[in-house]
């Protein structure tokens, strides 16, 4: 007896629900669309069809992977960030909606000199931007793509210590027609600047560094702790290692009037603000919240 697509995706949804997957319906539909190569908007017209046995087996292989905790985005190999398509694979962190808040804030600063409508800096003619630990390239590429659309001249450099990540980031730049807009450099944080870019200083340094305290990693969802790169998550004993290392290098790499924009964990506002205050570089340090009203973005002007 052959089942319809509706019946099959219902069974898959139940299987995912029983494994504690929260968006079970969405995931079972998305995996179906991915398998047959149709946009999700076409799903409704598919429900009535019956599915060949080979496709059915193929479908449940995908469902089993998702049921075991593999992130949906790694299975389908892509995600969206700032309305742009990004390829993702286990070598890079999956771009999060929280990070869109960071990018939106950065673009507002560049375009208007305001942050959440508060004037924060004088307008600049052009922006030399550095994205540290770019991973999939989501921050660097979306800034490079969107800035010119809002009338901002931006030249973006992106570093990552991981060769695998940079390979994906470069593919993402190509995918978005931004290969000439972002310069990718390999190395640990500012390390490539010693070689490729000398002592170059930037108008904006932006980063979503690893910030989870090592012992918290074990408490994260299976999707994150068993599948995403530790290198992109583990911020050391107190989660703040990378912020300290970034802060140390700022005198050399951030221009006067330059802006620092960092994503932080929801409980790191005071600690990260403290690290930046100690540098005595900044006259304005602010923290803003993400859509869930959690502290997420640190902004500072030199
Ligand atoms: N926001 C990510 C998470 O919740 C962590 C990203 C990071 O460490 N930069 O898993």
């Amino acid at each position: 007896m052959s089942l319809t697509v509706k019946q099959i995706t219902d069974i898959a949804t139940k299987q995912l629900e029983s494994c504690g997957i929260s968006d079970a319906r969405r995931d079972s539909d998305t995996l179906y669309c991915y398998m047959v190569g149709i946009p999700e908007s076409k799903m409704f017209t598919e429900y009535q069809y019956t599915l060949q046995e080979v496709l059915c087996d193929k479908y449940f292989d995908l469902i089993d992977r998702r049921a075991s905790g593999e992130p949906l985005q790694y299975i389908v190999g892509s995600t969206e960030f700032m309305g742009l398509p990004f390829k993702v694979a286990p070598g890079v962190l999956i771009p999060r909606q929280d990070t869109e808040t960071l990018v939106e804030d950065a673009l507002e600063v560049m375009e208007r000199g305001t942050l959440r409508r508060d004037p924060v800096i004088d307008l600049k003619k052009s922006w030399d931007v550095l994205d540290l630990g770019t991973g999939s390239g989501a921050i660097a590429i979306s800034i490079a793509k969107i800035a010119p659309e809002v009338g901002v001249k931006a030249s973006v450099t992106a570093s990552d210590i991981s060769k695998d990540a940079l390979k994906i980031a470069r593919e993402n730049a190509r995918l978005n027609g931004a290969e000439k807009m972002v310069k990718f450099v390999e190395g640990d944080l500012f390390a490539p600047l010693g070689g490729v870019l000398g002592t170059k200083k930037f108008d904006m340094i932006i980063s979503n560094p690893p910030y989870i305290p090592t012992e918290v990693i074990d408490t994260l969802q299976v999707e994150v702790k068993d599948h995403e790169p530790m290198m992109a998550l583990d911020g050391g004993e107190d989660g703040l290692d990378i912020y300290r290392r970034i802060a140390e290098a700022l005198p050399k790499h951030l221009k006067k009037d330059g802006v620092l924009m960092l994503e932080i964990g929801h409980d790191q506002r005071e600690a990260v603000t403290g690290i930046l205050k100690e540098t005595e570089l900044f006259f304005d340090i602010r923290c803003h919240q993400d859509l869930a009203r959690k502290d997420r973005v640190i902004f500072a002007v030199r």
Side-chain angles (χ1 to χ4, degrees):
M1 185 192 68
S2 34
L3 298 173
T4 65
V5 171
K6 175 77 172 82
Q7 287 168 318
I8 285 167
T9 53
D10 282 349
I11 295 168
T13 302
K14 288 220 175 70
Q15 182 185 337
L16 293 183
E17 272 167 4
S18 72
C19 296
I21 307 285
S22 52
D23 272 323
R25 178 83 248 170
R26 183 204 63 183
D27 288 7
S28 53
D29 283 358
T30 301
L31 288 172
Y32 177 85
C33 294
Y34 164 70
M35 178 182 72
V36 297
I38 58 165
E40 285 177 47
S41 55
K42 290 266 159 64
M43 190 64 201
F44 279 110
T45 58
E46 287 285 310
Y47 279 148
Q48 57 184 314
Y49 300 128
T50 53
L51 199 60
Q52 296 166 6
E53 212 171 300
V54 273
L55 280 184
C56 198
D57 290 346
K58 204 171 148 196
Y59 179 61
F60 278 99
D61 286 345
L62 297 174
I63 292 295
D64 288 343
R65 284 169 66 186
R66 182 69 195 99
S68 76
E70 194 172 336
L72 182 75
Q73 296 89 333
Y74 285 158
I75 301 175
V76 303
S78 66
T79 192
E80 251 194 30
F81 182 81
M82 295 296 292
L84 301 171
F86 283 88
K87 178 185 157 147
V88 289
V92 296
L93 193 79
I94 298 164
R96 315 279 206 262
Q97 198 176 32
D98 298 340
T99 309
E100 291 187 337
T101 305
L102 176 74
V103 170
E104 279 159 10
D105 283 349
L107 286 164
E108 182 190 338
V109 170
M110 294 164 82
E111 184 189 354
R112 303 179 203 273
T114 61
L115 180 60
R116 313 270 173 121
R117 298 186 186 248
D118 248 3
V120 284
I121 50 152
D122 294 334
L123 284 178
K124 293 178 194 269
K125 275 208 196 76
S126 64
W127 287 80
D128 242 324
V129 180
L130 173 64
D131 173 23
L132 295 168
T134 196
S136 65
I139 295 175
I141 293 166
S142 52
I143 288 179
K145 273 290 276 194
I146 298 168
E149 289 168 14
V150 296
V152 174
K153 218 173 141 230
S155 143
V156 182
T157 303
S159 76
D160 206 290
I161 192 172
S162 156
K163 235 190 196 44
D164 290 347
L166 281 178
K167 188 165 167 269
I168 294 171
R170 286 197 177 96
E171 280 179 49
N172 279 325
R174 266 196 302 280
L175 178 65
N176 283 290
E179 61 270 59
K180 294 214 173 74
M181 302 175 185
V182 184
K183 182 183 179 84
F184 292 102
V185 290
E186 187 189 326
D188 190 10
L189 296 178
F190 297 91
L193 303 183
V196 191
L197 297 165
T199 50
K200 189 172 161 76
K201 278 190 158 76
F202 293 86
D203 299 292
M204 177 182 283
I205 293 176
I206 188 165
S207 183
N208 171 22
Y211 56 67
I212 314 267
T214 306
E215 53 171 39
V216 175
I217 301 244
D218 227 23
T219 68
L220 302 175
Q221 287 174 289
V222 174
E223 278 85 346
V224 182
K225 70 174 178 196
D226 290 350
H227 295 275
E228 294 200 90
M230 267 321 119
M231 208 195 283
L233 295 166
D234 190 342
E237 200 179 330
D238 61 359
L240 303 168
D241 281 3
I242 310 297
Y243 298 115
R244 290 193 193 92
R245 293 185 44 217
I246 291 175
E248 234 168 71
L250 290 174
K252 224 165 112 192
H253 293 295
L254 187 63
K255 283 187 197 168
K256 204 165 163 298
D257 296 324
V259 166
L260 174 70
M261 304 218 45
L262 299 171
E263 178 170 323
I264 58 163
H266 66 90
D267 53 0
Q268 293 175 327
R269 171 189 197 140
E270 273 177 41
V272 176
T273 305
I275 290 169
L276 296 183
K277 276 192 182 143
E278 264 175 42
T279 66
E280 294 181 0
L281 290 176
F282 299 101
F283 63 86
D284 188 5
I285 304 176
R286 302 169 185 227
C287 177
H288 282 288
Q289 288 71 44
D290 59 22
L291 293 174
R293 296 176 188 246
K294 292 192 169 148
D295 286 342
R296 191 61 65 199
V297 175
I298 291 279
F299 163 91
V301 192
R302 179 164 187 184

